Coordinates of all heavy atoms in Angstrom, one line a residue:
A379 N 1.9 10.8 -3.2 CA 1.7 12.2 -3.0 C 0.4 12.9 -3.4 O -0.3 13.7 -2.8 CB 3.0 13.0 -3.6
L380 N 0.1 12.4 -4.7 CA -1.1 13.1 -5.2 C -2.3 12.3 -4.5 O -3.5 13.0 -4.6 CB -1.3 12.8 -6.7 CG -0.3 13.6 -7.5 CD1 -0.5 13.4 -9.1 CD2 -0.2 15.1 -7.2
T381 N -2.2 11.1 -4.0 CA -3.3 10.5 -3.3 C -3.6 11.2 -2.0 O -4.7 11.5 -1.6 CB -3.0 9.1 -3.0 OG1 -2.9 8.3 -4.3 CG2 -4.2 8.5 -2.3
F382 N -2.5 11.7 -1.3 CA -2.7 12.6 -0.2 C -3.4 13.7 -0.5 O -4.2 14.2 0.2 CB -1.3 12.8 0.5 CG -0.8 11.7 1.5 CD1 0.5 11.2 1.2 CD2 -1.5 11.1 2.4 CE1 1.0 10.2 2.0 CE2 -1.1 10.0 3.2 CZ 0.2 9.6 3.0
S383 N -3.0 14.5 -1.5 CA -3.5 15.7 -2.1 C -5.1 15.4 -2.4 O -5.9 16.4 -2.0 CB -2.9 16.2 -3.3 OG -1.6 16.7 -3.0
L384 N -5.4 14.3 -3.0 CA -6.8 14.1 -3.3 C -7.5 13.9 -2.0 O -8.8 14.5 -1.9 CB -6.9 12.7 -4.1 CG -8.3 12.2 -4.3 CD1 -9.2 13.3 -5.2 CD2 -8.2 10.9 -5.0
R385 N -7.1 13.3 -1.1 CA -7.8 13.1 0.2 C -7.9 14.5 0.9 O -9.1 14.8 1.6 CB -7.0 12.1 1.2 CG -7.1 10.7 0.7 CD -6.2 9.8 1.6 NE -6.3 8.4 1.1 CZ -5.4 7.5 1.5 NH1 -4.5 7.7 2.4 NH2 -5.5 6.2 1.0
A386 N -6.9 15.3 0.8 CA -7.1 16.7 1.4 C -8.3 17.4 0.6 O -9.0 18.0 1.2 CB -5.7 17.4 1.2
D387 N -8.3 17.4 -0.8 CA -9.2 18.1 -1.6 C -10.6 17.6 -1.1 O -11.5 18.3 -1.0 CB -9.0 17.8 -3.0 CG -7.6 18.2 -3.6 OD1 -7.0 19.2 -3.0 OD2 -7.1 17.6 -4.5
Q388 N -10.8 16.3 -1.0 CA -12.1 15.7 -0.5 C -12.5 16.2 0.8 O -13.7 16.5 1.0 CB -12.1 14.2 -0.6 CG -11.9 13.6 -2.1 CD -11.5 12.1 -2.0 OE1 -11.0 11.6 -1.1 NE2 -11.8 11.5 -3.1
A389 N -11.5 16.3 1.7 CA -11.8 16.9 3.1 C -12.2 18.3 3.0 O -13.3 18.7 3.7 CB -10.7 16.6 3.9
F390 N -11.6 19.1 2.1 CA -11.9 20.5 2.0 C -13.3 20.6 1.4 O -14.0 21.5 1.8 CB -10.9 21.3 1.3 CG -9.6 21.4 2.0 CD1 -8.4 21.2 1.4 CD2 -9.4 21.8 3.3 CE1 -7.2 21.3 2.1 CE2 -8.4 22.0 3.9 CZ -7.2 21.7 3.3
V391 N -13.7 19.8 0.4 CA -15.0 19.7 -0.2 C -16.0 19.5 1.0 O -17.0 20.3 1.1 CB -15.2 18.6 -1.3 CG1 -16.6 18.5 -1.6 CG2 -14.4 19.1 -2.4
R392 N -15.9 18.5 1.9 CA -16.8 18.3 3.0 C -16.8 19.6 3.8 O -17.8 19.9 4.4 CB -16.3 17.1 3.8 CG -16.5 15.8 2.8 CD -16.3 14.7 3.8 NE -15.0 14.6 4.5 CZ -13.9 13.9 3.9 NH1 -14.0 13.3 2.7 NH2 -12.8 13.9 4.6
W393 N -15.7 20.2 4.0 CA -15.7 21.5 4.9 C -16.6 22.6 4.2 O -17.4 23.1 4.9 CB -14.2 22.0 5.0 CG -14.0 23.3 5.7 CD1 -14.7 23.8 6.6 CD2 -13.2 24.4 5.2 NE1 -14.2 25.1 7.0 CE2 -13.4 25.5 6.0 CE3 -12.3 24.5 4.2 CZ2 -12.7 26.6 6.0 CZ3 -11.5 25.7 4.1 CH2 -11.7 26.7 5.0
G394 N -16.4 22.8 3.0 CA -17.2 23.8 2.2 C -18.7 23.4 2.3 O -19.6 24.2 2.4
E395 N -19.0 22.2 2.2 CA -20.4 21.6 2.2 C -21.0 21.9 3.6 O -22.3 22.1 3.8 CB -20.5 20.1 1.9 CG -20.2 19.9 0.4 CD -20.0 18.5 0.1 OE1 -19.9 17.7 1.1 OE2 -20.2 18.1 -1.1
S396 N -20.2 21.9 4.6 CA -20.8 22.1 6.0 C -20.7 23.6 6.4 O -21.0 24.0 7.6 CB -19.9 21.2 7.0 OG -18.6 21.7 7.0
G397 N -20.3 24.4 5.5 CA -20.1 25.9 5.9 C -18.8 26.3 5.9 O -17.9 25.6 5.3
C398 N -18.4 27.5 6.4 CA -17.1 27.9 6.3 C -16.3 28.0 7.6 O -15.2 28.4 7.8 CB -16.9 29.2 5.6 SG -18.0 30.5 6.3
G399 N -17.0 27.5 8.7 CA -16.4 27.5 9.9 C -15.4 26.4 10.1 O -15.7 25.2 9.6
K400 N -14.3 26.6 10.8 CA -13.1 25.6 10.8 C -13.7 24.4 11.6 O -14.3 24.6 12.8 CB -12.0 26.1 11.5 CG -11.4 27.3 10.7 CD -10.8 26.9 9.5 CE -10.2 28.1 8.7 NZ -9.0 28.8 9.4
D401 N -13.7 23.2 11.0 CA -14.2 22.0 11.7 C -13.4 20.8 11.5 O -12.0 21.1 11.1 CB -15.7 21.7 11.2 CG -15.7 21.4 9.7 OD1 -14.6 21.4 9.1 OD2 -16.8 21.2 9.2
G402 N -13.9 19.7 11.8 CA -13.0 18.5 11.7 C -12.6 18.1 10.2 O -11.5 17.7 10.0
N403 N -13.4 18.6 9.3 CA -13.1 18.3 7.9 C -11.8 19.2 7.5 O -11.0 18.8 6.8 CB -14.2 18.7 7.1 CG -15.3 17.7 7.3 OD1 -15.2 16.5 7.2 ND2 -16.7 18.2 7.4
H404 N -11.9 20.5 8.0 CA -10.7 21.3 7.8 C -9.6 20.7 8.3 O -8.4 20.8 7.7 CB -11.2 22.7 8.3 CG -10.0 23.7 7.9 ND1 -8.9 23.9 9.0 CD2 -9.7 24.7 7.0 CE1 -8.1 24.8 8.5 NE2 -8.5 25.2 7.4
A405 N -9.6 20.3 9.5 CA -8.4 19.7 10.2 C -8.0 18.4 9.4 O -6.7 18.3 9.2 CB -8.7 19.4 11.6
D406 N -8.8 17.7 9.0 CA -8.4 16.6 8.1 C -7.7 17.0 6.8 O -6.7 16.4 6.4 CB -9.5 15.7 7.7 CG -10.3 14.9 8.9 OD1 -9.6 14.7 9.9 OD2 -11.3 14.4 8.8
G407 N -8.3 18.1 6.2 CA -7.6 18.6 4.9 C -6.2 19.0 5.2 O -5.3 18.7 4.4
M408 N -6.1 19.7 6.3 CA -4.6 20.2 6.7 C -3.8 19.1 7.0 O -2.6 19.1 6.6 CB -4.9 21.1 7.8 CG -5.6 22.5 7.5 SD -5.0 23.5 6.0 CE -3.3 24.0 6.7
R409 N -4.2 18.1 7.6 CA -3.4 16.9 7.9 C -3.0 16.2 6.7 O -1.8 15.9 6.6 CB -4.1 16.0 8.9 CG -3.4 14.7 9.2 CD -4.1 13.9 10.5 NE -5.5 13.7 10.1 CZ -5.9 12.7 9.4 NH1 -5.2 11.7 9.0 NH2 -7.3 12.6 9.3
Y410 N -3.8 16.0 5.8 CA -3.5 15.3 4.5 C -2.7 16.2 3.7 O -1.7 15.7 2.9 CB -4.8 15.0 3.8 CG -5.5 13.7 4.3 CD1 -7.0 13.8 4.5 CD2 -4.9 12.4 4.5 CE1 -7.7 12.7 5.0 CE2 -5.6 11.4 5.0 CZ -7.0 11.5 5.3 OH -7.6 10.4 5.7
S411 N -2.8 17.5 3.7 CA -1.9 18.3 3.0 C -0.4 18.3 3.5 O 0.5 18.3 2.7 CB -2.5 19.8 3.2 OG -3.8 20.0 2.5

Side-chain angles (χ1 to χ4, degrees):
L380 293 185
T381 299
F382 281 128
S383 290
L384 173 59
R385 290 173 180 170
D387 299 339
Q388 291 168 336
F390 288 135
V391 168
R392 294 191 297 272
W393 172 40
E395 289 172 342
S396 63
C398 54
K400 301 290 177 65
D401 61 7
N403 293 312
H404 178 270
D406 286 344
M408 296 303 295
R409 175 168 54 86
Y410 284 127
S411 291

